[in-house]
Amino acid sequence: MMATFEKDCPLNRSVGACFCAREQKKHSGSLSQESGIRTGPTMETSEKRSLTNEPKKRIIKHPDHIKPQPNVIDEEELDSEVMAGEALERRNAWEPSVFYSLGMESFSFAGHEISIRESLDTYGALIWPGAVALCSYLEKNQEQFNLLDKAVLELGAGTGLVSIVASLMGAWVTATDLPEILDNLNFNLSRNTRGRCRYTPQVAQLTWGKELGRKFPSSIYNYDYILCADVVYHHNCLDELLITMKHFCRPGTILLWANKIRFQTDLLFIENFEKAFNITLLAENTKDEVKIFQATAQPE
């Protein structure tokens, strides 16, 4: 099924040297520091933030056999002056449902206002076009992709926007990324889901392609949906990403991947992606070069 969606993200999220000269000329401003690539140590977890000041609610938790331990949340505020410049640079580029304050971006999805804290020193702490596009698509196509009571894994969760929306739609979510991303990811998840969700989302460290069979044995870790947003860009871990997608996308699993197509290597990844899975192009925005794919496992 082919669908269309409106522009969800500006092009001026270019970071460091990884974006092409064409986008650098079209959109002014720079983002400080080159980020870490989504390949880190192994999958670990930390302690859950204390929520003693919140009203108690009945929470349905993940089954123990696949539930990662919770993480500690670092609530140190981001540099307001740096974030002010970034916010002013992008504030008029979004749809009316999105507005900016210092260091925060706010969205409206699944009947809730969502506030996301960003950082400029790593790719994973910024919101990218594919994340907003995927959230919008999931919200508009809930009959086709009903996440209620479904087990969902997000690869390269970044700021956590997609995982937050999936949690608000009733899924029990495990959001994964590199260790340097997890504090901000956990902060955003906790801020936007506590007291709102059927399940408490979990955060876990995951290295693409590393010790997946030992850390995430397929006999135990089974998911209904795998969500990925803008995980393909100019980095050296595309083979490892595809291996990770194949590991988690088992028979019966649906993988949804949204991405802005920027580089020739992105097109090469799509070719390999098509060979590895049964895929359907669900939506495409030709103006912003964002595509959303559905993938299922091929017969073994």
Side-chain angles (χ1 to χ4, degrees), residues 98-221:
V98 183
F99 60 92
Y100 288 85
S101 61
L102 297 185
M104 307 295 293
E105 296 188 16
S106 295
F107 301 82
S108 179
F109 286 117
H112 294 275
E113 294 299 317
I114 301 170
S115 296
I116 299 294
R117 186 176 72 174
E118 288 187 298
S119 172
L120 297 179
D121 55 22
T122 174
Y123 289 106
L126 290 169
I127 297 173
W128 297 98
V132 183
L134 184 55
C135 290
S136 179
Y137 187 86
L138 289 172
E139 183 180 47
K140 294 174 182 177
N141 294 273
Q142 294 187 52
E143 291 187 5
Q144 182 178 0
F145 301 105
N146 182 6
L147 301 186
L148 181 64
D149 294 327
K150 297 300 191 298
V152 172
L153 176 73
E154 185 179 7
L155 301 178
T159 62
L161 179 61
V162 174
S163 287
I164 290 166
V165 172
S167 295
L168 293 173
M169 294 173 66
W172 45 284
V173 176
T174 301
T176 66
D177 215 308
L178 296 178
E180 62 267 26
I181 305 298
L182 299 188
D183 283 344
N184 193 58
L185 170 59
N186 209 354
F187 174 88
N188 286 327
L189 282 170
S190 177
R191 175 188 180 94
N192 291 283
T193 63
R194 58 185 178 185
R196 294 178 169 185
C197 296
R198 185 175 178 86
Y199 301 95
T200 301
Q202 305 297 315
V203 174
Q205 180 180 323
L206 173 64
T207 304
W208 294 343
K210 302 296 183 181
E211 298 185 291
L212 297 174
R214 184 172 71 86
K215 296 293 185 179
F216 268 129
S218 298
S219 59
I220 298 176
Y221 291 87

Side-chain angles (χ1 to χ4, degrees), residues 10-23:
L11 296 175
N12 56 5
R13 292 178 179 278
S14 306
V15 180
C18 290
F19 278 75
C20 64
R22 174 176 62 82
E23 290 192 345

